[in-house]
Amino acid sequence: MDLSQSMHVLTWEVTKACQLHCRHCRARAIPHRNAGELNVEEIGAVLDDMAEKLSFKPIIVFTGGDPSEREDLDQILEASISRGFITSISPSVTPRITDDLVHHWAEMGVRAISLSIDGPNPQIHDRFRGVKGTFERSLQVAHAVVESGMSLQLNTSVGRFTIEGLEEMGELAKSLQVSSWEVFFVIPMGRANLKSSLDAEEIEHVLEYLADYQGKVGFRVTAVGAPHYVRVQHEGGYMGDQPPRQIVREARGFAFIDHLGEVYPSGYLPLSGGNVRERSIVDIYRQSELFTSLRDPDRFEGGCGACDYAVACGGSRARAYAVFGDPLAPDPGCILSGADLPALSQA
Ligand code: SF4
């Protein structure tokens, strides 16, 4: 698949409304919906555009905020499923998410549910999510998802407040029968700051653990916000004789639409390539200056530009922007980038 032509995954923030108070929230979620959100007809038009122009239909993950805050979520899901997109939901675990609702989504044809569990116990998870009882409820929802036949993707944010429980968290993922475990490295944006992020040495250790753990389990273990996972896997001999493959990251196999229709390279990189109300998302993805620059390793600065892994990895453009205000700057989350690493720990 040519990642300059098609995204592999499109994450779609259909609302910013959410009733949780997560301390790292990318979206700075708010309690109420915004009147300017894309409506179902507008969402359908974007889906039509992608169905017509893309040779590979991306996996679509409807997220928020909390997508279940939208009364018309069923219509949105139906619009996506009926056009042949593999459709997934990333709901917030609130009292709204009942076992019946989970089974309803499965019957509609939703293929996967992404749930966030950030630690192996309530002390870590509930403190991080800002609402007591969320951990226990998340486990119940996870069991309901597996029971319904949908795939369960577990998302774990790893940063200063959750790193202590990460290995136990991996065991929990296994016991919950996940189909994939995605470890999100906290990017200092939204409600997260530099103090809640890990430094490059710590990230390297976590990536080594993930590469090793991947070899021991039958589900996918991936890193989000740390594309140098591919370097760690390759250097560690986890890929055998295979050359390092291009990893999906911002603007390369991935795009994000916000609730107002702005198209970002990632939910963690708040620079817009355009708005779907004015321009085709496919054109934005393929041709906008922002998206094309983020796919061009010749434009990366510092260690990332000079790196042997510039093509396969390219660094987290979101972290570069969050720390230096320049998405083409070196990724300070990598020990090879040559970036000013102390910036992370001194902030
Ligand atoms: S220096 Fe940049 S391109 Fe090289 S492995 Fe590190 S993050 Fe990736």
Side-chain angles (χ1 to χ4, degrees):
M1 173 180 178
D2 182 350
L3 296 179
S4 70
Q5 295 301 301
S6 290
M7 56 221 92
H8 182 62
V9 178
L10 172 69
T11 298
W12 200 326
E13 175 196 76
V14 288
T15 182
K16 226 177 165 67
C18 181
Q19 304 311 315
L20 296 185
H21 312 285
C22 305
R23 61 195 299 170
H24 68 301
C25 184
R26 168 201 61 73
R28 292 184 192 275
I30 50 176
H32 305 293
R33 290 182 55 194
N34 184 321
E37 289 169 358
L38 294 177
N39 61 37
V40 177
E41 288 70 33
E42 289 173 308
I43 290 171
V46 175
L47 292 166
D48 281 338
D49 182 41
M50 287 194 293
E52 183 192 332
K53 294 179 181 163
L54 295 176
S55 53
F56 177 93
K57 282 185 182 161
I59 299 165
I60 300 184
V61 183
F62 290 106
T63 186
D66 179 6
S68 68
E69 289 276 330
R70 284 194 63 147
E71 301 80 24
D72 55 1
L73 180 60
D74 274 9
Q75 292 172 56
I76 295 171
L77 296 173
E78 178 57 29
S80 176
I81 293 165
S82 65
R83 287 168 174 83
F85 291 94
I86 295 176
T87 301
S88 168
I89 314 174
S90 179
S92 302
V93 173
T94 64
R96 200 190 293 269
I97 311 300
T98 62
D99 289 9
D100 284 349
L101 182 58
V102 169
H103 284 270
H104 168 69
W105 286 336
E107 281 159 19
M108 282 191 74
V110 173
R111 297 274 284 277
I113 300 289
S114 300
L115 281 186
S116 295
I117 301 184
D118 302 304
N121 54 53
Q123 289 74 29
I124 297 177
H125 179 80
D126 289 358
R127 184 183 55 181
F128 196 63
R129 293 282 153 186
V131 177
K132 224 174 158 188
T134 309
F135 177 76
E136 290 302 334
R137 185 65 199 128
S138 298
L139 294 185
Q140 290 167 13
V141 175
H143 289 304
V145 170
V146 173
E147 196 184 287
S148 75
M150 289 187 287
S151 298
L152 172 63
Q153 177 183 307
L154 206 58
N155 299 337
T156 298
S157 295
V158 60
R160 187 71 48 219
F161 302 107
T162 59
I163 189 168
E164 64 189 271
L166 190 69
E167 295 193 15
E168 231 184 296
M169 191 59 229
E171 294 302 319
L172 179 61
K174 186 161 64 177
S175 73
L176 290 173
Q177 301 174 52
V178 301
S179 57
S180 69
W181 182 35
E182 296 215 346
V183 176
F184 284 64
F185 289 81
V186 170
I187 301 286
M189 55 87 63
R191 282 192 202 128
N193 56 29
L194 282 165
K195 283 181 182 164
S196 55
S197 309
L198 303 180
D199 65 27
E201 292 282 349
E202 292 168 312
I203 291 174
E204 191 80 2
H205 290 313
V206 173
L207 292 175
E208 286 167 359
Y209 155 70
L210 295 178
D212 180 59
Y213 193 54
Q214 172 68 94
K216 297 175 177 166
V217 294
F219 51 87
R220 223 164 52 95
V221 177
T222 58
V224 179
H228 46 300
Y229 188 38
V230 70
R231 168 178 62 74
V232 171
Q233 287 177 306
H234 189 247
E235 287 177 342
Y238 295 100
M239 293 177 165
D241 296 335
Q242 300 290 314
R245 69 190 190 291
Q246 272 201 349
I247 206 160
V248 168
R249 60 160 174 77
E250 308 94 340
R252 194 177 69 191
F254 189 87
F256 177 93
I257 305 180
D258 84 354
H259 62 300
L260 302 176
E262 297 293 339
V263 181
Y264 299 100
S266 149
Y268 298 92
L269 178 43
L271 292 175
S272 173
N275 192 297
V276 295
R277 283 178 165 134
E278 293 154 6
R279 190 177 174 189
S280 157
I281 182 171
V282 179
D283 293 349
I284 294 169
Y285 181 82
R286 289 179 178 165
Q287 294 161 14
S288 69
E289 160 61 18
L290 175 66
F291 276 64
T292 52
S293 70
L294 297 176
R295 288 193 291 265
D296 183 357
D298 290 342
R299 299 184 61 174
F300 300 156
E301 296 158 14
C304 286
C307 181
D308 288 345
Y309 293 89
V311 174
C313 166
S316 166
R317 301 294 101 222
R319 186 179 294 101
Y321 179 73
V323 175
F324 300 120
D326 177 0
L328 300 175
D331 176 357
C334 175
I335 55 172
L336 297 188
S337 71
D340 187 8
L341 300 175
L344 285 173
S345 53
Q346 285 176 0

